[in-house]
Amino acid sequence: VTVHGDLLRYRIPKIDVAIFNVPAADRQGNLYVKSCAVTGESQELARAARRNHGSVIANVGLIVEAGYDPIFLPANDIDAVVYHPDTEQTAAVFHRAHWPMFTTDSDVSIGEGLARLRFINSLAPSFPRRTAADLVLARLAAATLVASVDPSALVSIGTGLPEEVAPAVFEAGLLGDLTFLVESGVVGGLPAPGVYFGAAVCPEQIVSSAQLCERCREGLDATCLGALEVDGRGNVNVSRRGAGPRHYVGPGGFIDFCTAARTIVFVSAWMLRGEIAVEDTRLRIVKRGTPKFTDRVSEISFDGARALAAGKRVFYVTHVGVFHLTGSGLELVCVTPGIDVRQDILDFAPIEIRLPPGGRVPRVPLSIVTGKNLAWQKVLGSRRTLERSPPQHPA
């Protein structure tokens, strides 16, 4: 890293060795990606190593005959192929017995694929259990997204709670109106929530991460991303979970998506170590935790002021309601039934939160809480009404 005026210039060390996993190779050493779940950066890695006169090593799960599929990387670009039958298509799924639902030749519907993923996630010990309140949050975020973009919008999905947004859109019957993508390179279909996040059910296309980021730079309509902390200026921290190096995580494609997207929907729990229950048609805070909206974020991964200056529209969707970033800070757009605006939001969060003109905050429709009889296009209004939601009911 070197200093250039008020900028820091980062240089990536030259790649000497590239090693990656692809589905198959023939006996001449040509590589194929038929039935892959993602290709990642395999081509870019190989080209970087070759440019620097380095070595390229491919790990494959199948040995096939020449002509098996269009060649992904030719033998001339490969130094060694390592064959192992348990090489994985994705977590615990081998290339030799791949799951077609993660490929562009899927043999199951999106609904069936999602049902399988729900079952697997319910058994996975490492995957956080989504509560009934989390599913309400996902529906509210999905409704906010649908109301914020035009049909045929290109939308990127981040990891964490945002993973549940695409399934909520699908269950509302509107998946065909949007094209979802994930930074791993899958485009279209349904981004897989949980254990297999990074893959997609019935993807329309699989490209490299670099190609996907380039596509986003050319025109990304919206993104749904997570948030560890949010402050009163709309800044977001996603990379520093606590003190010390072990609590620091790279932001991944977060910054690329925030920079490229015209509309940003952050999806976040309202508090840490708290408990929120769904009771019939309302939410109730059973146990108060630590607010995720804070005076000052530990690290700025997203700069609210810069986003506004760039003309972006920014929303923060939580269990208790939706907030909109304005030039004066955060404004409460709507509140979830059962939540008291004064007690559960204004007095709880240690930041200033503005209310709509007149102080009346619209209630989130009951259908968002129950998941029944959804009229998604009317949940939060159109793009215009989202900019300044009119008062409807007393808070």
Side-chain angles (χ1 to χ4, degrees):
V1 183
T2 56
V3 178
H4 289 256
D6 61 347
L7 301 176
L8 296 178
R9 182 183 295 277
Y10 292 81
R11 287 185 172 83
I12 300 175
K14 290 184 177 181
I15 302 298
D16 297 310
V17 178
I19 182 167
F20 49 83
N21 165 23
V22 292
D26 62 28
R27 296 183 185 281
Q28 287 72 47
N30 300 304
L31 302 184
Y32 304 92
V33 292
K34 181 179 180 180
S35 302
C36 68
V38 298
T39 60
E41 299 87 16
S42 303
Q43 281 186 327
E44 288 81 5
L45 288 173
R47 289 167 182 164
R50 267 285 176 266
R51 187 174 294 117
N52 298 320
H53 309 290
S55 300
V56 179
I57 305 169
N59 180 46
V60 303
L62 295 168
I63 300 296
V64 299
E65 297 300 323
Y68 172 72
D69 199 50
I71 292 174
F72 178 69
L73 280 169
N76 289 341
D77 289 341
I78 311 301
D79 291 290
V81 174
V82 178
Y83 162 69
H84 193 285
D86 289 349
T87 300
E88 295 177 337
Q89 177 202 31
T90 185
V93 181
F94 304 130
H95 282 302
R96 57 180 165 80
H98 73 274
W99 287 1
M101 75 175 186
F102 288 141
T103 75
T104 53
D105 297 317
S106 176
D107 59 352
V108 303
S109 67
I110 288 179
E112 182 180 346
L114 179 59
R116 293 182 184 181
L117 294 177
R118 293 283 194 222
F119 175 72
I120 294 169
N121 288 336
S122 72
L123 301 177
S126 61
F127 180 66
R129 296 294 182 264
R130 300 304 184 203
T131 65
D134 291 338
L135 297 182
V136 174
L137 170 60
R139 288 193 289 270
L140 182 55
T144 303
L145 173 65
V146 168
S148 304
V149 299
D150 295 323
S152 75
L154 186 65
V155 181
S156 65
I157 295 291
T159 189
L161 285 170
E163 296 172 21
E164 299 295 337
V165 173
V169 171
F170 168 74
E171 289 163 356
L174 293 174
L175 187 62
D177 290 352
L178 305 174
T179 298
F180 287 111
L181 54 82
V182 181
E183 68 176 285
S184 59
V186 292
V187 180
L190 181 80
V195 175
Y196 298 108
F197 182 74
V201 180
C202 303
E204 298 171 9
Q205 189 179 12
I206 298 175
V207 300
S208 75
S209 299
Q211 290 170 322
L212 185 125
C213 286
E214 181 61 28
R215 182 175 301 185
C216 290
R217 280 191 289 271
E218 292 172 355
L220 181 64
D221 296 295
T223 185
C224 287
L225 302 167
L228 290 175
E229 297 176 310
V230 178
D231 67 23
R233 295 166 295 281
N235 299 322
V236 174
N237 166 34
V238 296
S239 48
R240 188 166 295 281
R241 300 177 182 274
R246 72 188 184 93
H247 291 294
Y248 183 82
V249 294
F254 177 94
I255 294 173
D256 298 81
F257 291 154
C258 286
T259 301
R262 291 184 283 271
T263 297
I264 303 170
V265 178
F266 290 108
V267 187
S268 170
W270 178 237
M271 53 191 177
L272 291 172
R273 294 177 293 277
E275 182 180 348
I276 301 178
V278 179
E279 297 178 347
D280 193 17
T281 59
R282 42 197 295 125
L283 266 63
R284 181 172 69 89
I285 295 180
V286 178
K287 175 185 174 184
R288 289 183 176 271
T290 303
K292 294 194 71 173
F293 282 30
T294 181
D295 286 326
R296 183 174 181 177
V297 295
S298 302
E299 181 167 272
I300 297 178
S301 311
F302 167 80
D303 189 309
R306 287 191 176 189
L308 288 179
K312 299 180 186 296
R313 302 165 65 249
V314 187
F315 300 94
Y316 307 80
V317 184
T318 73
H319 292 103
V320 301
V322 180
F323 303 82
H324 178 212
L325 181 60
T326 73
S328 302
L330 297 181
E331 180 178 301
L332 184 60
V333 173
C334 59
V335 61
T336 311
I339 298 299
D340 183 279
V341 172
R342 173 58 59 185
Q343 178 180 333
D344 298 328
I345 298 178
L346 301 183
D347 292 344
F348 178 74
I351 61 173
E352 180 181 357
I353 295 173
R354 298 168 59 87
L355 300 182
R360 294 171 179 259
V361 185
R363 293 284 180 180
V364 170
L366 296 182
S367 58
I368 291 290
V369 180
T370 64
K372 301 176 181 178
N373 303 317
L374 289 167
W376 287 77
Q377 292 90 336
K378 299 179 182 179
V379 167
L380 293 177
S382 65
R383 295 180 63 180
R384 180 175 298 178
T385 57
L386 267 174
E387 294 291 351
R388 176 66 69 183
S389 299
Q392 296 178 10
H393 306 290

